[in-house]
Amino acid sequence: MFQKVLIANRGEIAVRVIRACRELGIKSVAVYSDFDRDALHVRLADEAYSLGGNLASESYLNVDKILEVIKLSQADAVHPGYGFFSENTDFARAITDLGVTFIGPPPEAIEIMGDKISSRIAAEKAGVNGVPGRSIPVQDASEILDFGKQVGWPVAIKAAYGGGGRGMKVVFKPEDASEAMESAKRESLAAFGRDEIYLERYLDWPRHIEMQIFADTHGNCVWLGERDCSIQRRHQKLIEESPAINFPDKIREEMGAAAVSVAKACGYVNAGTVEFLYQNGEFYFLEMNTRLQVEHPVTEQVVKMDLVALQLKVASGEPLGFTQDEINRSGHAFECRINAEDPGLGKFLPSPGKIEKLYAPSGYGVRIDAGYDSHDTVGQFYDNLIAKLITWGDNRETARKRMLRALDELVVEGPATTVPALKEVLNHVDFIEGDHSTRWLEDKLNLSHILPHKGAPQMETEARAEKDVDIEVNGKRFKVKVFTDGSFISSDTGKTNKGDHSKRKPAPNLLAVGNGNITVPMQGTVVKVNVEVGDEVEAGQTVVVLEAMKMENAITSETTGVVKEVKVAPGDAVGPGDILVVIG
Ligand code: MV4
């Protein structure tokens, strides 16, 4: 087993790997960007080294710097997590050249699976069908017309080097073929530097079901179970579950065997995921992800295995230690991704910023894998996954209700989160009954009633907001929503949504006070006096600007009249009830 593992990643997945190392008595080495100097993964690791920079390209994707830290720390293995270098063969080879283990598959397997045409061919060789289509690059638009005639419309044009849904175009009728082809090629060239495309029949209501496999260096390869990851928007998964609902055992066994065949066909070792589309009782190979995935915990909860510990074991050359027959799956698990994103009006806008408070739910069957704690900041340099909330139950309904309970307990103050959208999905009859598909969230789920997060930028102009307030009536506690103009909530929202500060002008807080005597409503410092004795003022006119509650507040006159006396000057400290200006 390894002595010391360097984790070339950040956030929750770095924390996940550090924890597994600690339990196995392996020293962990964190790396960090300038932005992440005080991040949770840095705090939890045994050692931490600065990479400098903030952008991924300057830090977590800086090969030279990471190689330098590997040497400095004398780590004997590197865990890449997901994203960053996890599917980068140059990096894997550079590590291996140093005599250090890359905790992941052999570079050759990553290469075969990185190209969608070659992975389709590899799957077919292993007897596993892709979506009906052609495993050769398209040369001419006429081929699309022929293909459409043969297998029917719509036709999916896919980029050979695509991924994450980029470079895919759907052609509904022959007239659109040539334009769609050009567009797919342009997009693919821009995103991946290659423009090879191929064709598949387009499935219009599929589910995304993926199979977790595990292989060791001794020729053992098993499947652990499937995950339904259909609940996504813009190719970002929101909720994953295992097992898949309305998914017969017979299909599960077939899909598991198919995934193992694909893995064996490319000489796979370590944790991998084979993705399928599932529609009308048939499944089709889509691609293979040659890394540990974000959603691995739902499988862990169902098979009761620590997949990161298993990765370390297998990477150090030990056999898996169990056979396919010895794997027991029990109960049901959900994972909800808590992202710093505002699902208001269904838009899912990024909402980075400081987490003023994070309360993690717990209790039976609840797990949270977080990359942040209270007072940590979600930045704009990396993904905005704050935490993954995972629940397990004897059956799907128990796990679903447990998730709703846990989401109710979860507190994230500061950034907006995906929580309101997650609750909508979990409570929807289509989801409860398993009538969803990869298109369901974007096509069928209405999120237009979810209001933008408190303190969102548009509040400045509209100056209307709602705020949750706790009140007591005859000793009984009630939660109420207060609908108000901006003045009531402005100081609070400033505190709970710092992430939007970059976009927000220090909009003055409007406080109309006084009736002749203009008095101060709160402790503060006079910043500016706008009037002189003899000036005429109108009701609503700003007479003094006061800095209080960490922001500027405009003190306005309630009446129309003439200034008789000005009692303060800029810099004066004032308190509640002090008279600023007398109007006659
Ligand atoms: C498809 C498809 C329908 N028919 N292929 C999108 C990501 C890429 N990995 C494959 N994708 C799809 N391929 C055919 N022939 C629908 C999708 C698709 C999708 C797949 C999995 C998860 C989410 C998705 C969302 C939109 C489209």
Side-chain angles (χ1 to χ4, degrees), residues 65 116 122 163 243 351 355 386 441 466 530:
K65 199 79 198 174
K116 307 304 166 216
S351 178
I355 301 169
I386 297 173
L441 190 135
E466 59 174 83
N530 287 351

Side-chain angles (χ1 to χ4, degrees), residues 131 156 158 164-165 168 200-203 206 208 229 232 235 275 277 286-287 438:
V131 185
K158 294 189 168 185
M168 178 173 140
E200 284 180 358
R201 200 184 94 214
Y202 176 69
L203 305 179
H208 168 134
C229 307
Q232 53 82 47
H235 303 289
E275 291 185 0
L277 288 179
L286 205 51
E287 50 194 77
T438 57

